[in-house]
Amino acid sequence: VEIMQCPIQHNSWGSTTAIPSILGVAPDGRPQAELWAGAHPSAPSLVGGRPLDEVIAEDPLAALGPDVLERFGPALPFLAKILAAAEPLSIQAHPDKAHAEQGFAAEEAAGVPIDAPHRRYKDANHKPELLVALTPFHALAGFRPIDETMVLLEELDLATLHPFDRLATEGVAPVVAALLGTDEGREAAARIAEAAAALVAADPDTAAGPPSAVTEPVQAAAWWADHIARTYPGDPGVGVSLLLNLVDLEPGEGVNLRAGNVHAYLEGTGIEVMASSDNVLRGGLTPKYIDVPELLAVLDATPGEPPIVPAAPTDNGSFWPTPDPDFHLHMVRSTALPHELHVAGPRVAIVVEGAVTFTTSGREIDAPSGSAVWVPHADGPFRVRGDGVVFVAMVIP
Ligand SMILES: [Zn+2]
């Protein structure tokens, strides 16, 4: 068991205060969007002064164990993060494994440089994601049932605006295609922004912040569309935002974003764990490369309820049941008695509150809030004790 030194990503949408507060350090004025606890080759954590991806590559059997090594190959299958958003991030979707394999092979064959801005498939893996809220957390996730979206569009007086006028008869995919990929779709963004702003201005309660997505769905959707339009002026993603489920997570609630789910994080701090991949297809709210046909090729256009994952209780905390094999997230809370975790394979723990002690058969490490800890397979079961909250990312055998 070793303390990880974790790189911080300074994306412009990041909160300047949330991650420093978990780390117990003073903000430095810069946005701190994500703290990465893992072995991603572009920004690996350091253990014992060495990049974790190198440590794993040197002895993958000791780091990962035979089961994970056989199933996923000689690299950490997941990446864990603290994510702190002060502003909305890009609207995006991730491919499934078959699509990623195909897309990666095609771009390799075509000789598209791996770091080219228009490169879409940087690897051959899927990228399911689970985000668990540490604070109230707002997100867009999956397409809302069409009858609910029609109510919203009527309230905003946008139901007859092209391309929304096709929603009831043709479904979401052609509407998304037109919003993002045509001139008239992009022109609609101005009308949509005006309509959202007008609805917000007519409701004095919205000055205090976003209305509840559950009790005031129309006001909440308009509030976020207005906020998105002010943050990304002219971006046609504002139109897509009106088609997506708006999710208000309470601390401890998760949202599981599987292949094809169209999503955007809006605001809040959480723990995120994902399969090890860089395959992101963007649909707006970003200066990065947007490929509308490819986004349409991977997106799941089936409307439905948002993919919220409530915490499942355990003796000393919770876990979030997710179906993809690449990761599993578990939380341990304030343990007067040592809590032992028996799961084999590679484990990455992040302390988000208080301070705890990690013990393996050979070693004991004190880890205050903000610490991340690497527990290789070879360390066997480990124990957590102390007064704190720890998230542990691992692979279920
Ligand atoms: Zn994503």
PDB file of all heavy atoms in Angstrom, residues 166-187:
ATOM      1  N   ARG A 166     -40.171  18.211 -35.423  1.00  0.00           N
ATOM      2  CA  ARG A 166     -40.146  16.815 -35.884  1.00  0.00           C
ATOM      3  C   ARG A 166     -40.074  15.815 -34.740  1.00  0.00           C
ATOM      4  O   ARG A 166     -40.100  14.599 -34.960  1.00  0.00           O
ATOM      5  CB  ARG A 166     -38.921  16.594 -36.778  1.00  0.00           C
ATOM      6  CG  ARG A 166     -38.953  17.486 -38.000  1.00  0.00           C
ATOM      7  CD  ARG A 166     -37.559  17.724 -38.544  1.00  0.00           C
ATOM      8  NE  ARG A 166     -36.952  16.496 -39.034  1.00  0.00           N
ATOM      9  CZ  ARG A 166     -35.723  16.444 -39.550  1.00  0.00           C
ATOM     10  NH1 ARG A 166     -34.990  17.533 -39.622  1.00  0.00           N
ATOM     11  NH2 ARG A 166     -35.229  15.307 -39.972  1.00  0.00           N
ATOM     12  N   LEU A 167     -39.934  16.323 -33.505  1.00  0.00           N
ATOM     13  CA  LEU A 167     -39.659  15.431 -32.376  1.00  0.00           C
ATOM     14  C   LEU A 167     -40.753  14.381 -32.173  1.00  0.00           C
ATOM     15  O   LEU A 167     -40.461  13.191 -32.052  1.00  0.00           O
ATOM     16  CB  LEU A 167     -39.462  16.258 -31.092  1.00  0.00           C
ATOM     17  CG  LEU A 167     -39.122  15.455 -29.842  1.00  0.00           C
ATOM     18  CD1 LEU A 167     -37.785  14.736 -29.992  1.00  0.00           C
ATOM     19  CD2 LEU A 167     -39.097  16.362 -28.620  1.00  0.00           C
ATOM     20  N   ALA A 168     -42.009  14.830 -32.140  1.00  0.00           N
ATOM     21  CA  ALA A 168     -43.104  13.904 -31.822  1.00  0.00           C
ATOM     22  C   ALA A 168     -43.249  12.816 -32.881  1.00  0.00           C
ATOM     23  O   ALA A 168     -43.588  11.674 -32.560  1.00  0.00           O
ATOM     24  CB  ALA A 168     -44.408  14.673 -31.662  1.00  0.00           C
ATOM     25  N   THR A 169     -42.970  13.153 -34.124  1.00  0.00           N
ATOM     26  CA  THR A 169     -43.185  12.166 -35.189  1.00  0.00           C
ATOM     27  C   THR A 169     -41.930  11.357 -35.522  1.00  0.00           C
ATOM     28  O   THR A 169     -42.021  10.190 -35.885  1.00  0.00           O
ATOM     29  CB  THR A 169     -43.663  12.868 -36.478  1.00  0.00           C
ATOM     30  OG1 THR A 169     -42.787  13.973 -36.748  1.00  0.00           O
ATOM     31  CG2 THR A 169     -45.078  13.368 -36.317  1.00  0.00           C
ATOM     32  N   GLU A 170     -40.752  11.959 -35.389  1.00  0.00           N
ATOM     33  CA  GLU A 170     -39.542  11.275 -35.876  1.00  0.00           C
ATOM     34  C   GLU A 170     -38.578  10.845 -34.776  1.00  0.00           C
ATOM     35  O   GLU A 170     -37.582  10.172 -35.046  1.00  0.00           O
ATOM     36  CB  GLU A 170     -38.810  12.170 -36.882  1.00  0.00           C
ATOM     37  CG  GLU A 170     -39.642  12.432 -38.142  1.00  0.00           C
ATOM     38  CD  GLU A 170     -38.935  13.364 -39.115  1.00  0.00           C
ATOM     39  OE1 GLU A 170     -37.700  13.260 -39.265  1.00  0.00           O
ATOM     40  OE2 GLU A 170     -39.625  14.213 -39.711  1.00  0.00           O
ATOM     41  N   GLY A 171     -38.820  11.288 -33.537  1.00  0.00           N
ATOM     42  CA  GLY A 171     -37.926  10.893 -32.447  1.00  0.00           C
ATOM     43  C   GLY A 171     -36.720  11.810 -32.331  1.00  0.00           C
ATOM     44  O   GLY A 171     -36.575  12.778 -33.084  1.00  0.00           O
ATOM     45  N   VAL A 172     -35.828  11.498 -31.394  1.00  0.00           N
ATOM     46  CA  VAL A 172     -34.768  12.449 -31.053  1.00  0.00           C
ATOM     47  C   VAL A 172     -33.612  12.481 -32.051  1.00  0.00           C
ATOM     48  O   VAL A 172     -32.996  13.535 -32.236  1.00  0.00           O
ATOM     49  CB  VAL A 172     -34.196  12.205 -29.633  1.00  0.00           C
ATOM     50  CG1 VAL A 172     -35.251  12.451 -28.578  1.00  0.00           C
ATOM     51  CG2 VAL A 172     -33.599  10.831 -29.472  1.00  0.00           C
ATOM     52  N   ALA A 173     -33.285  11.343 -32.684  1.00  0.00           N
ATOM     53  CA  ALA A 173     -32.048  11.319 -33.483  1.00  0.00           C
ATOM     54  C   ALA A 173     -32.040  12.359 -34.609  1.00  0.00           C
ATOM     55  O   ALA A 173     -31.072  13.121 -34.732  1.00  0.00           O
ATOM     56  CB  ALA A 173     -31.783   9.913 -34.021  1.00  0.00           C
ATOM     57  N   PRO A 174     -33.115  12.456 -35.433  1.00  0.00           N
ATOM     58  CA  PRO A 174     -33.072  13.488 -36.488  1.00  0.00           C
ATOM     59  C   PRO A 174     -33.068  14.913 -35.930  1.00  0.00           C
ATOM     60  O   PRO A 174     -32.508  15.815 -36.569  1.00  0.00           O
ATOM     61  CB  PRO A 174     -34.356  13.232 -37.297  1.00  0.00           C
ATOM     62  CG  PRO A 174     -35.086  12.139 -36.649  1.00  0.00           C
ATOM     63  CD  PRO A 174     -34.298  11.601 -35.512  1.00  0.00           C
ATOM     64  N   VAL A 175     -33.663  15.099 -34.759  1.00  0.00           N
ATOM     65  CA  VAL A 175     -33.656  16.442 -34.157  1.00  0.00           C
ATOM     66  C   VAL A 175     -32.243  16.810 -33.712  1.00  0.00           C
ATOM     67  O   VAL A 175     -31.764  17.925 -33.969  1.00  0.00           O
ATOM     68  CB  VAL A 175     -34.651  16.515 -32.969  1.00  0.00           C
ATOM     69  CG1 VAL A 175     -34.607  17.887 -32.310  1.00  0.00           C
ATOM     70  CG2 VAL A 175     -36.066  16.190 -33.448  1.00  0.00           C
ATOM     71  N   VAL A 176     -31.554  15.857 -33.086  1.00  0.00           N
ATOM     72  CA  VAL A 176     -30.164  16.109 -32.689  1.00  0.00           C
ATOM     73  C   VAL A 176     -29.305  16.360 -33.927  1.00  0.00           C
ATOM     74  O   VAL A 176     -28.488  17.296 -33.960  1.00  0.00           O
ATOM     75  CB  VAL A 176     -29.594  14.909 -31.880  1.00  0.00           C
ATOM     76  CG1 VAL A 176     -28.095  15.071 -31.633  1.00  0.00           C
ATOM     77  CG2 VAL A 176     -30.339  14.769 -30.561  1.00  0.00           C
ATOM     78  N   ALA A 177     -29.506  15.550 -34.962  1.00  0.00           N
ATOM     79  CA  ALA A 177     -28.723  15.718 -36.192  1.00  0.00           C
ATOM     80  C   ALA A 177     -28.916  17.117 -36.769  1.00  0.00           C
ATOM     81  O   ALA A 177     -27.957  17.776 -37.177  1.00  0.00           O
ATOM     82  CB  ALA A 177     -29.140  14.659 -37.214  1.00  0.00           C
ATOM     83  N   ALA A 178     -30.177  17.594 -36.773  1.00  0.00           N
ATOM     84  CA  ALA A 178     -30.453  18.914 -37.345  1.00  0.00           C
ATOM     85  C   ALA A 178     -29.935  20.035 -36.443  1.00  0.00           C
ATOM     86  O   ALA A 178     -29.381  21.027 -36.933  1.00  0.00           O
ATOM     87  CB  ALA A 178     -31.957  19.068 -37.577  1.00  0.00           C
ATOM     88  N   LEU A 179     -30.095  19.879 -35.128  1.00  0.00           N
ATOM     89  CA  LEU A 179     -29.626  20.926 -34.207  1.00  0.00           C
ATOM     90  C   LEU A 179     -28.124  21.141 -34.341  1.00  0.00           C
ATOM     91  O   LEU A 179     -27.641  22.274 -34.387  1.00  0.00           O
ATOM     92  CB  LEU A 179     -29.935  20.549 -32.753  1.00  0.00           C
ATOM     93  CG  LEU A 179     -31.370  20.735 -32.263  1.00  0.00           C
ATOM     94  CD1 LEU A 179     -31.548  20.059 -30.902  1.00  0.00           C
ATOM     95  CD2 LEU A 179     -31.729  22.225 -32.160  1.00  0.00           C
ATOM     96  N   LEU A 180     -27.382  20.039 -34.408  1.00  0.00           N
ATOM     97  CA  LEU A 180     -25.921  20.142 -34.370  1.00  0.00           C
ATOM     98  C   LEU A 180     -25.292  20.253 -35.746  1.00  0.00           C
ATOM     99  O   LEU A 180     -24.196  20.792 -35.877  1.00  0.00           O
ATOM    100  CB  LEU A 180     -25.324  18.921 -33.653  1.00  0.00           C
ATOM    101  CG  LEU A 180     -25.723  18.736 -32.190  1.00  0.00           C
ATOM    102  CD1 LEU A 180     -25.086  17.466 -31.638  1.00  0.00           C
ATOM    103  CD2 LEU A 180     -25.314  19.944 -31.347  1.00  0.00           C
ATOM    104  N   GLY A 181     -26.000  19.750 -36.763  1.00  0.00           N
ATOM    105  CA  GLY A 181     -25.330  19.598 -38.045  1.00  0.00           C
ATOM    106  C   GLY A 181     -25.851  20.461 -39.175  1.00  0.00           C
ATOM    107  O   GLY A 181     -25.379  20.321 -40.305  1.00  0.00           O
ATOM    108  N   THR A 182     -26.822  21.345 -38.913  1.00  0.00           N
ATOM    109  CA  THR A 182     -27.330  22.178 -40.012  1.00  0.00           C
ATOM    110  C   THR A 182     -27.334  23.654 -39.604  1.00  0.00           C
ATOM    111  O   THR A 182     -27.367  23.978 -38.417  1.00  0.00           O
ATOM    112  CB  THR A 182     -28.780  21.794 -40.394  1.00  0.00           C
ATOM    113  OG1 THR A 182     -29.648  22.156 -39.312  1.00  0.00           O
ATOM    114  CG2 THR A 182     -28.924  20.303 -40.668  1.00  0.00           C
ATOM    115  N   ASP A 183     -27.329  24.521 -40.612  1.00  0.00           N
ATOM    116  CA  ASP A 183     -27.335  25.958 -40.324  1.00  0.00           C
ATOM    117  C   ASP A 183     -28.606  26.375 -39.595  1.00  0.00           C
ATOM    118  O   ASP A 183     -28.567  27.153 -38.645  1.00  0.00           O
ATOM    119  CB  ASP A 183     -27.200  26.756 -41.623  1.00  0.00           C
ATOM    120  CG  ASP A 183     -25.775  26.682 -42.173  1.00  0.00           C
ATOM    121  OD1 ASP A 183     -24.858  26.378 -41.372  1.00  0.00           O
ATOM    122  OD2 ASP A 183     -25.597  26.915 -43.379  1.00  0.00           O
ATOM    123  N   GLU A 184     -29.754  25.814 -40.053  1.00  0.00           N
ATOM    124  CA  GLU A 184     -30.996  26.237 -39.383  1.00  0.00           C
ATOM    125  C   GLU A 184     -31.041  25.709 -37.947  1.00  0.00           C
ATOM    126  O   GLU A 184     -31.603  26.363 -37.065  1.00  0.00           O
ATOM    127  CB  GLU A 184     -32.234  25.826 -40.175  1.00  0.00           C
ATOM    128  CG  GLU A 184     -32.258  24.396 -40.615  1.00  0.00           C
ATOM    129  CD  GLU A 184     -33.419  24.104 -41.581  1.00  0.00           C
ATOM    130  OE1 GLU A 184     -34.280  24.988 -41.786  1.00  0.00           O
ATOM    131  OE2 GLU A 184     -33.446  22.984 -42.099  1.00  0.00           O
ATOM    132  N   GLY A 185     -30.417  24.550 -37.710  1.00  0.00           N
ATOM    133  CA  GLY A 185     -30.314  24.049 -36.337  1.00  0.00           C
ATOM    134  C   GLY A 185     -29.507  24.999 -35.476  1.00  0.00           C
ATOM    135  O   GLY A 185     -29.891  25.342 -34.358  1.00  0.00           O
ATOM    136  N   ARG A 186     -28.391  25.449 -36.025  1.00  0.00           N
ATOM    137  CA  ARG A 186     -27.549  26.384 -35.263  1.00  0.00           C
ATOM    138  C   ARG A 186     -28.257  27.724 -35.055  1.00  0.00           C
ATOM    139  O   ARG A 186     -28.118  28.347 -34.011  1.00  0.00           O
ATOM    140  CB  ARG A 186     -26.200  26.552 -35.956  1.00  0.00           C
ATOM    141  CG  ARG A 186     -25.260  25.368 -35.706  1.00  0.00           C
ATOM    142  CD  ARG A 186     -23.876  25.593 -36.306  1.00  0.00           C
ATOM    143  NE  ARG A 186     -23.914  25.459 -37.760  1.00  0.00           N
ATOM    144  CZ  ARG A 186     -23.706  24.306 -38.408  1.00  0.00           C
ATOM    145  NH1 ARG A 186     -23.418  23.220 -37.731  1.00  0.00           N
ATOM    146  NH2 ARG A 186     -23.769  24.254 -39.717  1.00  0.00           N
ATOM    147  N   GLU A 187     -29.042  28.134 -36.067  1.00  0.00           N
ATOM    148  CA  GLU A 187     -29.801  29.388 -35.905  1.00  0.00           C
ATOM    149  C   GLU A 187     -30.856  29.256 -34.810  1.00  0.00           C
ATOM    150  O   GLU A 187     -31.187  30.218 -34.129  1.00  0.00           O
ATOM    151  CB  GLU A 187     -30.465  29.788 -37.222  1.00  0.00           C
ATOM    152  CG  GLU A 187     -29.475  30.429 -38.193  1.00  0.00           C
ATOM    153  CD  GLU A 187     -29.924  30.297 -39.652  1.00  0.00           C
ATOM    154  OE1 GLU A 187     -31.141  30.117 -39.893  1.00  0.00           O
ATOM    155  OE2 GLU A 187     -29.045  30.364 -40.530  1.00  0.00           O
TER     156      GLU A 187
END
